[in-house]
Amino acid sequence: MDGNTSGEDGNDIDWNTEDELEIDNFTLSSSSSLTVPGGEPVVGCGESSSSPGPSNSKVVDHFIGMGFSGKMVAKAIQEHGEENTDSILETLLTYSALESSPQAQQQVDCNPCSSDNEGSFLDDFSDMDSFSDNEEIINPTSEKEKKMLSLVNMGYTVEEASIAIERCGLDSTVVELTDFIFAAQMARAEDVNFPLEEKPRPNHAYKKRKLLEYEMLKKKRQMRLGNQTTGEDDETVHLPNPMVGFGIPSEPCLKTQRNLPEGARGPPYFYYENVALAPKGVWTTISRFLYDVQPEFVDSKYFCAAARKRGYVHNLPLDNRFPLIPLPPNTIHEAFPLTRKWWPSWDTRTKLNCLQTCIASAKLTERIRKAIEDYDGEPPLGVQKYVLDECRKWNLVWVGRNKVAPLEPDEVEMLLGFPKNHTRGISRTDRYKSLGNSFQVDTVAYHLSVLREMFPNGINLLSLFSGIGGAEIALHRLGIPLKNVVSVEKSAVNRSVVRSWWEQTNQRGNLYDLDDVQQLNGDSLEHYMNLFGGFDLVVGGSPCNNLAGSNRHHRDGLEGKESSLFYDYFRILDLVKCIMSKNN
DNA sequence: TTTAGGATGAAGTCAAGC
DNA sequence: GCTTGACTTCATCCTAAA
């Protein structure tokens, strides 16, 4: 398969449903003709009331007779006048539906994209602005109602929508209104005194906009799955024991075939990574968003001398995987033979624990030295336990008599499969941090190895949360030419590491490095995809800060400040799938 | 301002024992 | 089945020194 060609797997996917439009157009009345971002009018599909408006109380009786409350009917008539029965009915149906079940009104087929609608991408909220503007032109008398509909369609209550419009003004865009509501919601959630009168600060606007995207994505997901997802958030994804995924080099044939859900089939191939030991429900959510693909949980201790329990969600084939050669050292003593001389018999470790972003201090190693130096032979069991606990916790190795030490950065590089001195040149603290947040290259390469036969002429890669380029290095070491790489990484230090590696390895392709996944929208993606014909692979390991057990302060799950960027991975992947589907 | 050191547990998995 | 304890965890915040 050529790098620029699309696979056939995705051809049977129904890409044609007007998903975004269905999300936006919650209205139940056929009388509602709205203009969408692409400029095409969309007509609702519900029943309409086209009968001429009867006069006075007959209108009230008419709607009360249909089952609406008198109060609701009066309010609707007050808003639209007795003659405008279509609008009255539309409002009544909306209010009624919202009172019963807002979610129930969104039972629509929600395909990931609208292939006929130019520019109608989920991330592009300027579309929503224009949506409002167009409404204003078409039907200025119902502007408030339409804006309320847009807001309640996003999951806000009628009360929240009404207050937002009242406080921000009728001229406000939908985005401004949602920003306002989010500011209030966040303030309530954090129990912070955030007066409703206070307009959201500009520097918070983008964050709240992201949260809006997240809410919409969640709804989109719920709609796609229908009632199946209701109440299933606590469903636990069980971790395999042993954690060997679908196979490891020493046991490669555990599973070679699987039936991917239809929505997961490429193009492009995708590969997502995060910590396996995340709070309950996280992997269920990740799996649901990523097209119901079951995660592959792998501990990198089966690939190298250090544990690294990670979950990988991908749509790659499973057969004919092969490991990177040479195989990395598999035990501590193989990796660090000089430690063997000083290693006490009562330290039975053969593997290191997970390599993290911080290391033990010199004072701790000094305390350990003092704790054991008084004993000529083996220290008492209590001392042994203290020392072993600290050694396991901080991944200490024996470097002298009674002397333990943390791993040096270049040793961490080696264990994780990076080239020697890959991160050299940045501060020691940054090296540990960047390495601790990176892929284990051999593990990732084993999964990606199936791409080598498919892309002999090279690959176009979209690398999100690139870090220090673990995915790029894995592909390079696999012998897969990197034709075009769009690498998105927030840290300038990490970007410089990847750029330096790119130049030192004499890559013939093109590296485009960007700094913020949140600013990667449909337009920029289309730009790059038109430039070189689409992406073959979308890789990303979004921040784990709020998922990792080591985080004592903000282990907030996928709703955490950093870890919520997972939804940007999904958003961008979904956009790429949409654009590629549209272009084929 | 940058860098490094030190103090700070909870949440979850797993195996053993009952 | 349940309980218990051992074990593990891509970290954050504050302070001091350079």
Side-chain angles (χ1 to χ4, degrees):
Chain A
M1 186 183 295
D2 184 80
N4 284 338
T5 58
S6 302
E8 298 300 319
D9 290 350
N11 289 349
D12 56 345
I13 301 174
D14 177 16
W15 298 102
N16 298 320
T17 306
E18 299 285 349
D19 181 47
E20 297 306 318
L21 310 184
E22 286 167 343
I23 291 176
D24 287 342
N25 299 330
F26 165 72
T27 175
L28 301 176
S29 169
S30 65
S31 64
S32 169
S33 178
L34 306 177
T35 302
V36 296
E40 296 179 9
V42 176
V43 180
C45 57
E47 293 295 327
S48 70
S49 171
S50 57
S51 58
S55 59
N56 302 326
S57 63
K58 285 187 178 178
V59 179
V60 179
D61 293 339
H62 173 70
F63 287 114
I64 290 177
M66 293 171 69
F68 301 111
S69 72
K71 185 180 177 181
M72 199 183 287
V73 171
K75 187 177 179 182
I77 290 176
Q78 187 180 4
E79 279 193 34
H80 301 286
E82 289 189 352
E83 286 74 23
N84 199 346
T85 53
D86 287 349
S87 296
I88 293 171
L89 178 60
E90 181 180 341
T91 302
L92 290 171
L93 286 168
T94 302
Y95 287 166
S96 178
L98 287 169
E99 280 189 357
S100 58
S101 172
Q103 298 291 331
Q105 302 307 315
Q106 301 177 354
Q107 298 296 326
V108 289
D109 178 19
C110 217
N111 203 279
C113 78
S114 169
S115 59
D116 297 333
N117 185 15
E118 290 282 338
S120 177
F121 299 114
L122 195 60
D123 70 323
D124 195 345
F125 278 80
S126 61
D127 292 347
M128 293 178 62
D129 293 6
S130 63
F131 171 63
S132 299
D133 294 342
N134 288 332
E135 283 181 275
E136 195 173 316
I137 296 168
I138 292 170
N139 189 3
T141 60
S142 62
E143 182 184 18
K144 180 181 178 181
E145 179 199 355
K146 291 292 170 61
K147 285 186 175 175
M148 285 188 67
L149 283 172
S150 295
L151 292 169
V152 296
N153 183 27
M154 296 173 192
Y156 304 119
T157 67
V158 174
E159 184 183 7
E160 285 173 325
S162 178
I163 291 174
I165 293 172
E166 182 182 339
R167 300 297 171 87
C168 296
L170 203 54
D171 294 331
S172 302
T173 65
V174 173
V175 171
E176 288 169 339
L177 295 170
T178 55
D179 280 351
F180 178 87
I181 297 173
F182 256 108
Q185 287 180 339
M186 291 169 67
R188 280 201 302 271
E190 296 170 6
D191 197 23
V192 172
N193 184 19
F194 192 97
L196 283 174
E197 290 76 9
E198 183 180 341
K199 292 276 282 185
R201 291 174 299 201
N203 60 340
H204 285 180
Y206 195 83
K207 178 183 175 185
K208 284 172 279 174
R209 184 165 163 149
K210 182 186 71 61
L211 289 170
L212 167 63
E213 287 185 75
Y214 160 57
E215 289 296 325
M216 291 188 67
L217 290 168
K218 280 206 298 190
K219 291 190 178 306
K220 180 178 180 178
R221 190 68 187 150
Q222 287 165 359
M223 284 188 286
R224 181 185 298 154
L225 297 178
N227 292 328
Q228 291 179 341
T229 62
T230 305
E232 290 182 356
D233 283 347
D234 293 332
E235 181 183 319
T236 303
V237 172
H238 296 287
L239 301 176
N241 187 16
M243 195 179 282
V244 294
F246 301 141
I248 54 177
S250 59
E251 299 179 46
C253 300
L254 288 181
K255 186 173 183 178
T256 58
Q257 299 293 331
R258 60 174 170 169
N259 291 320
L260 283 170
E262 190 173 304
R265 297 170 194 165
Y269 287 110
F270 65 88
Y271 188 82
Y272 175 79
E273 179 261 12
N274 216 316
V275 291
L277 302 175
K280 283 185 176 178
V282 164
W283 276 106
T284 304
T285 304
I286 290 173
S287 176
R288 280 182 186 155
F289 269 83
L290 296 179
Y291 315 102
D292 290 322
V293 175
Q294 291 303 304
E296 178 175 12
F297 292 104
V298 183
D299 189 339
S300 291
K301 73 178 182 181
Y302 298 106
F303 289 83
C304 67
R308 204 167 188 81
K309 299 179 181 67
R310 296 292 181 269
Y312 305 88
V313 178
H314 61 84
N315 61 349
L316 296 163
L318 305 180
D319 54 335
N320 297 322
R321 287 172 165 180
F322 59 90
L324 286 176
I325 302 296
L327 294 173
N330 203 35
T331 65
I332 298 174
H333 287 163
E334 286 179 17
F336 309 111
L338 295 179
T339 66
R340 194 190 299 263
K341 178 180 178 183
W342 308 108
W343 208 275
S345 59
W346 45 270
D347 184 349
T348 57
R349 291 177 296 158
T350 59
K351 300 277 187 179
L352 294 164
N353 278 333
C354 183
L355 302 168
Q356 304 202 58
T357 58
C358 299
I359 62 166
S361 64
K363 286 194 175 183
L364 174 64
T365 59
E366 180 66 10
R367 281 199 296 268
I368 291 173
R369 188 184 65 80
K370 287 182 177 176
I372 55 179
E373 70 177 356
D374 293 337
Y375 304 99
D376 197 20
E378 288 191 0
L381 290 179
V383 175
Q384 289 183 22
K385 178 169 169 37
Y386 161 72
V387 173
L388 279 176
D389 284 348
E390 295 297 331
C391 286
R392 287 195 181 100
K393 181 179 179 182
W394 294 104
N395 270 328
L396 302 173
V397 294
W398 297 89
V399 296
R401 183 183 300 278
N402 299 328
K403 185 179 179 184
V404 292
L407 299 172
E408 290 298 311
D410 60 325
E411 294 172 329
V412 180
E413 283 173 350
M414 180 268 289
L415 287 168
L416 292 174
F418 287 92
K420 190 170 179 61
N421 293 327
H422 182 64
T423 58
R424 193 168 185 175
I426 64 178
S427 79
R428 187 177 165 90
T429 306
D430 282 343
R431 292 183 77 180
Y432 283 118
K433 185 175 180 183
S434 296
L435 288 162
N437 284 318
S438 70
F439 288 165
Q440 205 288 324
V441 172
D442 298 273
T443 310
V444 171
Y446 185 64
H447 298 156
L448 298 180
S449 62
V450 297
L451 296 172
R452 191 169 74 176
E453 281 192 3
M454 286 188 255
F455 300 99
N457 298 321
I459 198 168
N460 291 330
L461 172 68
L462 174 56
S463 177
L464 305 173
F465 314 102
S466 297
I468 52 175
E472 289 86 338
I473 291 170
L475 291 165
H476 175 67
R477 289 188 59 192
L478 284 165
I480 302 173
L482 297 167
K483 290 196 298 188
N484 294 282
V485 176
V486 175
S487 172
V488 191
E489 168 57 37
K490 190 86 170 176
S491 162
V493 168
N494 287 345
R495 287 201 306 275
S496 73
V497 168
V498 174
R499 173 65 68 180
S500 174
W501 170 81
W502 186 269
E503 291 168 354
Q504 289 175 28
T505 50
N506 299 317
Q507 297 289 330
R508 296 179 180 176
N510 303 302
L511 173 64
Y512 307 90
D513 46 1
L514 312 175
D515 68 346
D516 193 351
V517 293
Q518 294 179 298
Q519 293 181 13
L520 191 58
N521 58 22
D523 289 339
S524 52
L525 282 169
E526 275 199 302
H527 165 74
Y528 288 111
M529 293 167 76
N530 289 335
L531 203 60
F532 44 76
F535 292 107
D536 304 306
L537 175 65
V538 179
V539 174
S542 58
C544 67
N545 311 34
N546 308 118
L547 310 180
S550 301
N551 190 336
R552 306 180 183 192
H553 301 277
H554 303 289
R555 199 183 185 192
D556 303 324
L558 281 180
E559 320 310 320
K561 183 181 175 185
E562 282 83 20
S563 294
S564 60
L565 289 170
F566 158 73
Y567 297 106
D568 282 283
Y569 177 86
F570 165 69
R571 173 182 64 82
I572 292 165
L573 172 62
D574 216 34
L575 279 169
V576 171
K577 288 172 77 76
C578 286
I579 295 170
M580 293 188 72
S581 172
K582 190 173 64 174
N583 291 342
N584 290 329

